[in-house]
């Protein structure tokens, strides 16, 4: 079977999206598919920014962050009219399949499109937040964690030099996976994230405990979406309660860029190639992912109705680990 396949990236970019596009394009072409890139995310379908790719179109992108197809968040595609219009364009242009790489917004969009278009639809998990059920890790998460880790190691140096308390805010509007991994890997005294409720009293307690143990520096990692507020707000509250000025550092978008790690490149390559194999095997309607080393496909809806849990065992070890 040969297919005419469109590929796009949507929502927040994530390092190694390019590696996934490259794998989809090259494996697709090798297996007799015609592969087209949609530029500008889902809006690119509506604006017909769709161009054929060949093997050379995806040269020199494997090692680069961002996405060479560019991305976006489309208001028009959120409407039923927008979805119907996209379905018509895909049909009129003779497409058999669409592969979209993105986060939960992208999986919602593919699910919505499936109500209006009977072509094959496959999603790839591409978000630094790692908040999709159906894959142990999302494309870009490992790079983002390593980016944040590098920054936190540097902050630790200056924190130790002055024996200071630092609150470091990492990305994660609705999910604390980055905060959790970075916090554990840098030996944070506390990790604040949306999945776990921590009161200001509990935080004060943790910081005081760390001080009582004569720790030279105290790091608190805060996910931007924590229920107590952002790092700045929490820092001020902590300041008032312990009478010591807490330094705040917001890492921001630096986490989302840069050369993808080996882990992300391999994951993206495997998932891209697997998406083509699924399509050619007649599968549709789900997101490909890797769980326990196995490549699987999960129906779109389950990727957001089921929640991927934070490792409770590791979480329970935090107090012991932070000494
Ligand atoms: O890509 C996911 C994410 O990094 C979230 O953690 C963050 O809240 C959001 O994107 C911010 O991105 P933007 O400014 O592009 O909406």
């Amino acid at each position: 079977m040969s297919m005419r396949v469109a590929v796009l990236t949507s929502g927040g970019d994530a390092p190694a999206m390019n590696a996934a596009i490259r794998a989809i394009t090259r494996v697709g072409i090798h297996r007799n598919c015609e592969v087209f890139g949609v530029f500008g995310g889902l809006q690119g379908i509506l604006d017909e920014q769709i161009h054929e790719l060949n093997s050379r179109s995806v040269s020199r992108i494997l090692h680069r962050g961002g996405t060479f197809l560019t991305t976006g968040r489309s208001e028009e595609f959120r409407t039923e009219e927008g979805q119907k219009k996209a379905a018509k364009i895909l049909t009129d242009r003779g497409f058999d399949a669409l592969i979209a790489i993105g986060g939960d917004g992208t999986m919602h969009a593919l699910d919505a499109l499936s109500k209006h278009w009977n072509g094959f639809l496959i999603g790839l998990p591409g978000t630094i937040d790692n908040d999709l059920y159906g894959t142990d890790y999302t494309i870009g998460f490992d790079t983002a964690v390593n980016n944040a880790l590098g920054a936190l190691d540097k902050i630790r140096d200056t924190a130790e030099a002055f024996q200071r308390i630092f609150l470091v805010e990492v990305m994660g509007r609705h999910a604390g996976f980055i905060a959790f991994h970075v916090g554990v890997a840098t030996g944070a005294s506390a990790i604040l994230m949306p999945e776990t409720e921590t009161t200001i009293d509990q935080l004060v307690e943790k910081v005081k405990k760390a001080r009582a143990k004569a720790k030279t520096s105290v790091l608190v990692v805060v996910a931007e979406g924590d229920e107590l507020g952002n790092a700045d707000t929490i820092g001020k509250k902590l300041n008032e309660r312990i009478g010591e000025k807490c330094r705040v550092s917001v890492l921001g978008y630096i986490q989302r860029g840069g050369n993808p790690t080996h882990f992300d490149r391999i994951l993206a390559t495997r998932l891209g190639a697997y998406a083509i194999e699924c399509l050619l095997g007649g599968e549709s309607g789900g997101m490909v992912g890797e769980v326990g080393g196995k490549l699987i496909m999960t129906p779109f809806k389950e990727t957001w109705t089921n929640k991927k849990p934070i490792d409770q065992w590791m979480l329970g070890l935090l107090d012991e680990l932070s000494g």
Side-chain angles (χ1 to χ4, degrees):
M1 185 154 67
S2 80
M3 278 190 175
R4 196 173 165 91
V5 182
V7 55
L8 61 81
T9 49
S10 170
D13 53 286
M17 277 182 161
N18 280 325
I21 299 163
R22 171 180 175 272
I24 290 164
T25 305
R26 292 200 172 156
V27 174
I29 289 170
H30 267 272
R31 305 205 187 175
N32 293 324
C33 295
E34 291 172 279
V35 183
F36 287 72
V38 180
F39 289 77
L42 292 158
Q43 186 64 37
I45 304 177
L46 302 170
D47 297 340
E48 299 203 45
Q49 293 301 314
I50 308 171
H51 305 284
E52 185 159 11
L53 303 175
N54 60 41
S55 286
R56 294 280 70 74
S57 321
V58 291
S59 294
R60 297 185 298 277
I61 62 169
L62 178 60
H63 62 292
R64 294 184 54 198
T67 158
F68 102 103
L69 289 177
T70 66
T71 186
R73 294 192 173 92
S74 169
E75 281 310 314
E76 192 181 354
F77 199 94
R78 280 183 215 278
T79 66
E80 213 174 342
E81 295 73 54
Q83 292 149 19
K84 284 182 179 161
K85 183 176 163 190
K88 185 170 176 344
I89 291 169
L90 290 169
T91 302
D92 290 351
R93 296 195 51 156
F95 284 106
D96 303 295
L98 172 69
I99 301 177
I101 310 161
D104 66 332
T106 306
M107 301 311 140
H108 274 90
L110 290 176
D111 189 51
L113 182 61
S114 72
K115 314 251 175 341
H116 307 287
W117 190 53
N118 56 15
F120 290 79
L121 291 166
I122 290 194
L124 258 78
T127 165
I128 63 165
D129 292 339
N130 198 30
D131 57 346
L132 284 167
Y133 180 87
T135 191
D136 289 339
Y137 296 105
T138 55
I139 295 165
F141 171 69
D142 186 65
T143 307
V145 168
N146 280 300
N147 286 343
L149 215 53
L152 258 126
D153 287 344
K154 292 180 178 101
I155 288 171
R156 178 71 91 179
D157 288 347
T158 176
E160 279 187 357
F162 271 100
Q163 311 197 346
R164 280 175 170 162
I165 299 170
F166 262 88
L167 285 93
V168 183
E169 185 180 301
V170 297
M171 274 185 159
R173 202 177 286 165
H174 306 293
F177 288 98
I178 297 179
F180 179 55
H181 280 241
V182 166
V184 173
T186 50
S189 295
I191 304 172
L192 306 180
M193 52 190 165
E195 290 86 346
T196 56
E197 214 185 304
T198 310
T199 63
I200 190 72
D201 289 341
Q202 287 168 325
L203 180 62
V204 167
E205 186 70 13
K206 280 178 198 281
V207 171
K208 280 187 174 166
K209 245 191 192 165
R211 277 296 193 222
K213 285 181 196 157
K215 285 189 77 117
T216 45
S217 61
V218 179
L219 287 186
V220 176
V221 178
V222 183
E224 62 179 322
D226 186 69
E227 73 287 345
L228 265 186
N230 60 21
D232 201 40
T233 315
I234 301 170
K236 281 182 184 132
K237 282 186 195 160
L238 195 57
N239 201 151
E240 281 166 20
R241 293 286 301 273
I242 61 173
E244 182 180 338
K245 189 167 166 44
C246 303
R247 262 65 184 182
V248 172
S249 223
V250 179
L251 301 188
Y253 290 92
I254 200 160
Q255 294 161 89
R256 227 158 72 174
N259 299 358
T261 57
H262 122 272
F263 180 90
D264 274 332
R265 295 183 205 193
I266 299 278
L267 176 68
T269 300
R270 277 162 67 75
L271 294 181
Y274 184 59
I276 291 291
E277 291 192 349
C278 287
L279 278 184
L280 295 176
E283 288 184 65
S284 175
M287 182 193 84
V288 292
E290 187 174 313
V291 175
K294 269 201 169 143
L295 296 173
I296 59 160
M297 168 117 87
T298 303
F300 292 132
K301 238 186 206 121
E302 288 180 29
T303 65
W304 70 84
T305 52
N306 291 337
K307 292 280 167 253
K308 185 159 63 185
I310 296 277
D311 185 335
Q312 290 301 318
W313 177 70
M314 280 292 283
L315 195 59
L317 291 176
L318 254 199
D319 284 344
E320 294 167 57
L321 290 170
S322 67

